[in-house]
Amino acid sequence: MNWLEIEKRYDSGVYNKHDLVIVRGKGARVWDHEGREYIDCVGGYGVANVGHSNPSVVEAVKRQAETLMVLPQTLPNDRRAEFYQTLVELTPPGLERVFPTNSGAEANEAALKFARAATGRTKFVAAMRSFHGRTLGALSVTWEKKYRAPFAPLVEPVEFIPYNDVEALHRAVDEETAALILEPVQGEGGVRPATLEFMQAARARTQEVGALLILDEIQTGFGRTGKLFAMEHFGITPDILTLAKAIGGGVPMGAMVTTHPIADKMPKGGHGTTFGGNPLAMAAGVAAMRYIATHRLWERAAELGAWFLEALRELDSPRVREVRGLGLMIGLELKERSAPYIQRLEQEHQVLTLAAGPNVIRFLPPLVIERSDLERVLEAVREVLR
């Protein structure tokens, strides 16, 4: 059976497909249908922090699938209550009200609606190079014009400011602003960490004018940057925190977490989701979060990430413009297009990576990856840059 041909024949066509079919994964490795093994530095776009087919998550999903898979949020459930409690024990004090979703884009959609309901304002401020999703609301605060232009007009008003520009932040965030939404590290925008000054100014300015601060930790959360949440690098707590990707250990899910006063401003029935908070996803989320916390995967990300970042910088290739990142969220910016190098890493070295803009190779390996695998990745990068 030619699965690649079948998928390409019937697929919607919105993705550029690789010429391979992945059929199995374990830890930081995946295998294609012909048995070839790859080191996975895509990690499901940052989903597989606990590794592919993590035994704790697999067991939780099996057990829950045999018990109860679907239940709307109007009917309370033991797994959902356990998920809420587990998540709130990990988030900073004050962030204690949870709206479960099926994805990161949905978490951001919820955040935008809760922000408008809580403030009575309509304006949003976001950053240039930001990426918050492709659904219409999340797309409205996403910078990249190739995503936005075909679907205008979007939600307005939205003002975009240069990332890490404190003066521009102060000018844009005013008494008409419902919320400022930021990624602590811009992922799709090139793996660009925020500065301490910028993030602290974001917290101070929003409080000064009565606007909310939304932190999109969909890619940075749950250990990716060397802290449990990237906000810890900056010593701030947002009004609304959006999460997804690694939260479910591979099962599709997300969450918006906020404060009691903000949650209480949303009218009954003001937002909803059929599948969000289903018992199957909740069981997976509890297992994934407990695994991350028990094994303190953020410490592993900090140690391995610091080594890998420095090792990439020491390659000293004339093709490289900059290497940057936090923890195991790393971008290698080239002076030319990255796509040919990403393709060669896959085809010649069985290393899977992804782009972050036209010139950046992005590395998002599972946090359980072994240093020996990262050493192999480093040698593969060295070879393709020669």
Side-chain angles (χ1 to χ4, degrees):
M1 191 74 71
N2 191 331
W3 297 117
L4 181 62
E5 180 184 325
I6 292 169
E7 177 162 339
K8 287 186 174 181
R9 181 190 308 161
Y10 297 114
D11 187 77
S12 67
V14 300
Y15 285 100
N16 292 315
K17 300 283 186 176
H18 294 237
D19 288 324
L20 75 165
V21 178
I22 300 297
V23 298
R24 184 166 66 91
K26 190 68 178 174
R29 307 286 184 91
V30 294
W31 288 263
D32 69 16
H33 69 297
E34 295 181 344
R36 286 186 294 259
E37 181 182 287
Y38 300 80
I39 298 175
D40 182 17
C41 289
V42 174
Y45 294 165
V47 170
N49 286 17
V50 298
H52 293 285
S53 298
N54 178 280
S56 298
V57 177
V58 169
E59 179 58 31
V61 169
K62 283 181 178 178
R63 189 166 55 247
Q64 191 60 44
E66 293 173 342
T67 306
L68 179 67
M69 289 195 285
V70 175
L71 193 73
Q73 291 189 55
T74 50
L75 294 170
N77 172 254
D78 54 346
R79 291 289 80 77
R80 192 182 304 125
E82 185 181 28
F83 172 83
Y84 289 167
Q85 184 176 51
T86 303
L87 177 56
V88 169
E89 286 173 353
L90 297 178
T91 56
L95 294 176
E96 297 174 344
R97 300 285 291 278
V98 182
F99 183 87
T101 68
N102 306 290
S103 69
E106 288 184 36
N108 282 334
E109 292 282 351
L112 300 178
K113 288 183 69 174
F114 273 76
R116 281 192 167 179
T119 63
R121 303 173 183 180
T122 59
K123 174 184 169 182
F124 292 103
V125 177
M128 296 176 181
R129 295 198 180 99
S130 63
F131 184 86
H132 300 289
R134 293 184 176 94
T135 52
L136 283 178
L139 184 60
S140 300
V141 290
T142 291
W143 165 253
E144 182 59 59
K145 290 182 175 61
K146 72 178 181 182
Y147 297 142
R148 295 167 52 86
F151 308 105
L154 300 171
V155 173
E156 296 289 349
V158 177
E159 184 173 347
F160 291 95
I161 61 172
Y163 197 60
N164 286 331
D165 188 328
V166 173
E167 291 185 8
L169 184 153
H170 275 271
R171 288 193 300 268
V173 178
D174 55 24
E175 286 76 8
E176 297 179 358
T177 303
L180 166 65
I181 181 168
L182 295 171
E183 301 158 272
V185 182
Q186 291 188 322
E188 181 86 5
V191 191
R192 301 176 190 275
T195 64
L196 179 64
E197 180 187 21
F198 182 69
M199 293 303 283
Q200 292 188 342
R203 178 66 286 183
R205 180 60 176 169
T206 50
Q207 290 176 328
E208 180 183 353
V209 299
L212 303 184
L213 176 61
I214 302 169
L215 283 191
D216 176 343
E217 291 235 29
I218 289 163
Q219 191 167 127
T220 58
F222 299 104
R224 171 61 56 187
T225 69
K227 300 285 188 182
L228 182 56
F229 298 107
M231 71 179 88
E232 297 172 41
H233 290 286
F234 310 102
I236 63 170
T237 300
D239 302 291
I240 299 177
L241 175 66
T242 57
L243 303 164
K245 293 192 184 293
I247 194 174
V251 173
M253 64 176 302
M256 184 214 72
V257 193
T258 190
T259 65
H260 288 286
I262 292 170
D264 289 342
K265 290 288 183 66
M266 176 61 79
K268 295 291 184 185
H271 198 50
T273 167
T274 298
F275 288 102
N278 70 83
L280 190 68
M282 300 292 92
V286 170
M289 288 189 289
R290 286 181 176 167
Y291 188 92
I292 290 166
T294 299
H295 293 83
R296 300 181 68 83
L297 290 187
W298 59 90
E299 294 178 353
R300 185 177 182 82
E303 180 182 350
L304 289 176
W307 171 82
F308 190 48
L309 188 72
E310 188 58 34
L312 287 171
R313 285 172 174 162
E314 289 176 355
L315 291 177
D316 195 29
S317 168
R319 301 182 189 275
V320 176
R321 175 171 285 116
E322 186 180 16
V323 183
R324 54 183 176 261
L326 275 177
L328 278 173
M329 183 176 181
I330 294 174
L332 177 71
E333 183 174 357
L334 303 176
K335 298 175 183 176
E336 54 195 282
R337 297 281 177 171
S338 62
Y341 297 94
I342 291 171
Q343 186 177 47
R344 287 185 59 200
L345 284 168
E346 174 189 313
Q347 295 178 349
E348 299 173 17
H349 299 277
Q350 284 73 60
V351 171
L352 302 180
T353 59
L354 67 159
N359 300 332
V360 176
I361 304 173
R362 183 173 17 163
F363 301 88
L364 296 173
L367 306 187
V368 297
I369 193 169
E370 297 292 339
R371 176 163 165 164
S372 58
D373 280 347
L374 285 177
E375 289 170 349
R376 282 183 53 192
V377 173
L378 179 67
E379 287 307 307
V381 173
R382 190 193 312 276
E383 286 296 319
V384 300
L385 289 178
R386 279 178 179 165

